[in-house]
Amino acid sequence: MAKEMKYTEPELLACTASRILENKKSVFVGTGLPMIAAMLAQKTHAPELFIIFEAGGLGPQMPVLPISVGDSRTFHRAVAASSMHDVMSASQSGYVDFGFLGAAQLDPYGNINTTMIGPYEEHKTRLPGSGGANDVGSFSQRTIIIMRQDKRKFVEKVDFLTTPGYLSGPGAREKAGLPKNTGPYRVITQLGVYGFNPDTKRMYLISLHRGVNLEDAKANSSFAFEVSDKLEVTEPPTEKEVRILHEEIDPVGIVLRK
Amino acid sequence: MGDVKVSKVMTAADAIGKFVPDGCSISIANFLHSTPFALIHELIRQKKKDLLVWSQSGIEELDLLIGAGCTKKIITAYNFRAGGEWANGEFDRALNEGRLEVEDLSNFAVLAMLWAGAMGYNFIPVLKGIRETDIFKISTILGGEKFKVVKDPFSGEDTVVVKGANPDVALIHVQRCDREGNAQYWGSIGNSKWASLACKKIIVSTEQIVDHDVVRFSPHLTLIPGFRVDAVVEEPWGAHPAEALGAYNTDYGFRAMFFMHNITAVSMQSFLKEWVYDCAGRAEYLAHYVERFGQAPLSRLRARTHPSYPADLGSANFSVWDERGYSEALGMTRSEFDQVLEKQGEVMEWEIEEK
């Protein structure tokens, strides 16, 4: 057996997220790990992945990791430097396959809070707000959520519903008038990968990362979740992926650190 | 329409003094880059009060405006948090001390309100799933003037609409502009067009004032036509520490320094004193920068050139008919062409008569 690869948590999250993306599909990405995952996919299995940025960059060939969704790298050698208006129009009309979001709190139906912790009037912590998250979570066919998981973050009910997941369960998205065949697809945390049960629309565990046991995952969630019959161990990052991450995508260690 | 023959060039102090009264609403165009910092600093120097701020996505400009006491009300989709989710800066202090109200929207909802306003519409539909979220359910500054549910007259189904917005004054920073205010901007545009055009007045700051002919030879680069613009302010480095495409990069060192100052109210005020109040304008701000850090860090931010492929705006000729009344394309004179038209007319009439 080959020697076990050493990797950090951000590397693992980036590689796991990257592998979910498919070639010739489009992905709407935000700042940080989503950008890194999309760039990694482009440099490995999905060279024709079409990356979309909120400020208007379409299909860029980024020399190195952008810092924000509006900086000049987001439309470097792009096919278009358009506007938020253009990007949102295309997205709302159903032309976006994947969306990437972060979450400060997540409930079992994939509903997201990125606005504030605590009750609105007497909140404990103010978060950045929706930005495009509400929009991306509404129109993307498959939304991927990357976040750290613990009992305060995996909650039965989010303090502020910023971005709709499957709302209250089966049929709720349709009833709310959200576009058909859209919604949360995967949740990637430092412990494992979750999917959504097509019947109940609740999260269930698909794979655990190497060295993580089921009890760890359960202990870090305030809600109960089902576990796949075919629970897998997440494929760890390869040497090649880790090398690309550090040498080509984030050489200064902005997101991945050194 | 404004008078396009008159030069609108003035200083930042004059533009802000003339067009931004206390208590008005402002819209900060530009989305995370090319932020109009020179104009924002001028708002602060003139101690503007009670501004209602429309900000699609803010970084330190919001902390600065709050810390300087210029605003207590912000309508926004996103405010960047240095230090991640659990950050604590002027924005948070103001919220916790009850000095600030925030109206939460999504990016598309902010854009849609400004877009509708720019088109002269009272409202515009948005994706209706937002109805299930707290962005829809909770409203502060806008009260009932945010979302409404109406019947779609075509499908008969419920649809969610946002109210069109027309803030009083837009602040935008561009790469180049002529004296009449024809503002040219390139790169990804974010919300800049709508965040400007929705407003009743528009103040443009520009890296460079260019000859009117520069605009005439590249009309496809004009983002805001001069007839909508009220003031043109020439401010090289006017977006620093943000990036201006083709001019300079983001100054991360300076930004980091700001975020360190933002941690306490006292250090925040010392930043405002050093970099805003004690600088009479952008030129003094730059001079102070060079004095503090030297010329080298500033020079290192200068963009390396990466020109776009030129667009050919040419055509074969300006009229079908040359000065002799002959058309090369049609191979006949104007009077011959008239005869053909007449004949065809006869043919058609004849066909009609036959039936």
Side-chain angles (χ1 to χ4, degrees):
Chain A
M1 199 177 138
K3 199 174 69 168
E4 286 214 335
M5 253 295 283
K6 278 201 173 128
Y7 50 82
T8 64
E9 188 181 301
E11 288 164 3
L12 172 66
L13 294 177
C15 292
T16 308
S18 147
R19 291 175 192 155
I20 295 170
L21 299 172
E22 295 165 19
N23 199 25
K24 299 190 178 184
K25 298 277 184 187
S26 54
V27 58
F28 199 115
V29 301
T31 309
L33 275 174
M35 273 186 199
I36 291 193
M39 287 178 79
L40 180 61
Q42 222 177 30
K43 286 171 186 288
T44 52
H45 65 281
E48 291 171 78
L49 180 69
F50 192 75
I51 298 176
I52 301 173
F53 285 106
E54 221 151 343
L58 293 179
Q61 293 172 341
M62 292 172 276
V64 70
L65 179 72
I67 300 288
S68 84
V69 294
D71 84 35
S72 54
R73 285 157 281 201
T74 62
F75 50 89
H76 184 76
R77 291 185 56 86
V79 295
S82 70
S83 70
M84 184 188 282
H85 177 249
D86 295 294
V87 164
M88 290 291 188
S89 302
S91 305
Q92 294 200 168
S93 316
Y95 292 96
V96 172
D97 299 304
F98 289 100
F100 253 128
L101 297 176
Q105 284 183 332
L106 186 77
D107 80 8
Y109 296 105
N111 298 306
I112 294 173
N113 174 14
T114 53
T115 305
M116 53 181 56
I117 303 297
Y120 192 83
E121 293 300 334
E122 287 147 31
H123 68 273
K124 275 186 265 172
T125 308
R126 170 83 203 184
L127 306 168
S130 163
N134 175 286
D135 311 305
V136 172
S138 296
F139 57 59
S140 298
Q141 289 171 27
R142 285 180 276 178
T143 303
I144 302 165
I145 299 153
I146 305 186
M147 65 185 295
R148 271 196 74 86
Q149 159 184 0
D150 64 37
K151 269 183 177 295
R152 293 173 312 140
K153 290 173 167 262
F154 269 30
V155 293
E156 200 62 58
K157 188 174 183 305
V158 291
D159 292 343
F160 187 103
L161 175 48
T162 311
T163 301
Y166 291 107
L167 296 168
S168 59
R173 260 183 96 88
E174 292 76 5
K175 200 169 154 234
L178 284 159
K180 274 181 193 156
N181 305 319
T182 58
Y185 175 63
R186 291 285 184 271
V187 179
I188 302 167
T189 79
Q190 80 279 16
L191 302 177
V193 180
Y194 302 78
F196 290 83
N197 181 318
D199 299 323
T200 64
K201 299 295 182 192
R202 283 181 69 101
M203 274 166 63
Y204 73 103
L205 186 64
I206 294 175
S207 79
L208 285 168
H209 303 323
R210 203 178 65 191
V212 178
N213 62 48
L214 185 56
E215 292 317 307
D216 294 334
K218 285 185 174 169
N220 281 289
S221 174
S222 291
F223 55 82
F225 51 81
E226 286 177 33
V227 179
S228 167
D229 300 339
K230 299 171 227 154
L231 183 65
E232 292 173 2
V233 175
T234 314
E235 200 62 46
T238 65
E239 237 168 278
K240 184 187 167 198
E241 284 171 324
V242 171
R243 185 180 51 74
I244 294 172
L245 283 175
H246 287 282
E247 286 178 13
E248 297 177 30
I249 296 173
D250 188 13
V252 213
I254 293 162
V255 173
L256 297 171
R257 304 211 178 80
K258 284 281 184 184
Chain B
M1 264 194 200
D3 185 347
V4 295
K5 296 285 181 275
V6 174
S7 167
K8 295 164 187 167
V9 177
M10 58 185 86
T11 63
D14 286 346
I16 296 296
K18 193 170 172 190
F19 296 111
V20 189
D22 286 347
C24 80
S25 50
I26 64 163
S27 162
I28 302 173
N30 306 104
F31 177 77
L32 299 169
H33 59 302
S34 202
T35 315
F37 271 108
L39 297 177
I40 287 163
H41 284 191
E42 191 53 41
L43 289 175
I44 295 169
R45 264 192 297 277
Q46 295 191 20
K47 299 193 160 56
K48 295 295 175 188
K49 291 271 173 292
D50 299 319
L51 301 176
L52 171 63
V53 178
W54 287 79
S55 164
Q56 182 86 46
S57 209
I59 311 184
E60 69 264 48
E61 67 273 26
L62 297 181
D63 294 285
L64 289 170
L65 286 168
I66 298 162
C70 299
T71 184
K72 294 175 191 142
K73 291 181 178 183
I74 296 175
I75 298 167
T76 187
Y78 185 93
N79 64 295
F80 173 80
R81 329 292 290 159
E85 286 171 7
W86 317 108
N88 193 22
E90 191 58 27
F91 195 103
D92 303 274
R93 281 190 294 278
L95 262 181
N96 295 338
E97 292 164 15
R99 299 186 267 127
L100 177 66
E101 265 190 292
V102 177
E103 182 70 76
D104 283 292
L105 288 162
S106 76
N107 264 345
F108 186 71
V110 175
L111 181 71
M113 292 181 88
L114 295 166
W115 179 31
M119 284 193 290
Y121 288 177
N122 285 333
F123 62 86
I124 206 164
V126 296
L127 281 186
K128 57 188 165 185
I130 204 163
R131 185 164 48 162
E132 304 302 320
T133 70
D134 289 316
I135 295 173
F136 179 96
K137 291 173 184 164
I138 296 172
S139 186
T140 55
I141 299 162
L142 293 169
E145 305 283 281
K146 184 156 106 164
F147 296 105
K148 292 271 190 219
V149 179
V150 298
K151 277 259 175 295
D152 173 344
F154 297 103
S155 70
E157 287 175 16
D158 281 355
T159 188
V160 177
V161 298
V162 289
K163 192 173 195 281
N166 295 107
D168 294 312
V169 190
L171 309 180
I172 181 171
H173 185 73
V174 302
Q175 285 104 332
R176 70 187 185 206
C177 184
D178 69 9
R179 286 170 179 76
E180 296 169 5
N182 295 297
Q184 300 202 320
Y185 184 80
W186 52 90
S188 72
I189 286 158
N191 69 336
S192 300
K193 188 172 179 176
W194 310 113
S196 301
L197 294 179
C199 296
K200 292 166 198 149
K201 304 273 183 197
I202 301 175
I203 301 175
V204 175
S205 69
T206 177
E207 282 300 311
Q208 189 190 9
I209 289 178
V210 292
D211 281 346
H212 187 54
D213 257 6
V214 172
V215 171
R216 296 268 181 206
F217 274 96
S218 55
H220 57 303
L221 292 177
T222 303
L223 188 74
I224 313 292
F227 72 84
R228 286 296 325 275
V229 171
D230 298 276
V232 177
V233 180
E234 190 173 35
E235 293 283 23
W237 296 90
H240 180 272
E243 171 179 31
L245 184 69
Y248 44 86
N249 278 26
T250 303
D251 189 342
Y252 291 109
F254 190 87
R255 207 156 237 182
M257 184 185 78
F258 169 78
F259 290 131
M260 294 306 288
H261 280 80
N262 198 17
I263 292 170
T264 73
V266 175
S267 51
M268 171 73 185
Q269 291 304 320
S270 76
F271 181 93
L272 280 168
K273 182 175 184 317
E274 181 178 357
W275 295 99
V276 187
Y277 298 124
D278 286 357
C279 300
R282 188 90 323 202
E284 289 80 0
Y285 166 96
L286 287 169
H288 181 60
Y289 186 101
V290 172
E291 190 184 69
R292 275 275 316 255
F293 308 116
Q295 182 63 50
L298 203 59
S299 303
R300 277 198 293 272
L301 298 174
R302 274 264 174 238
R304 273 170 287 177
T305 184
H306 181 72
S308 74
Y309 200 83
D312 194 334
L313 305 181
S315 58
N317 35 46
F318 295 108
S319 168
V320 178
W321 313 103
D322 67 16
E323 60 279 6
R324 298 163 298 150
Y326 181 77
S327 167
E328 295 236 8
L330 296 173
M332 60 181 87
T333 65
R334 178 64 204 258
S335 57
E336 283 165 343
F337 183 67
D338 282 345
Q339 283 168 25
V340 171
L341 284 186
E342 240 165 70
K343 264 190 205 156
Q344 280 183 342
E346 281 167 22
V347 171
M348 282 166 65
E349 277 165 32
W350 174 78
E351 281 176 340
I352 292 163
E353 275 170 22
E354 279 297 282
K355 282 175 187 170

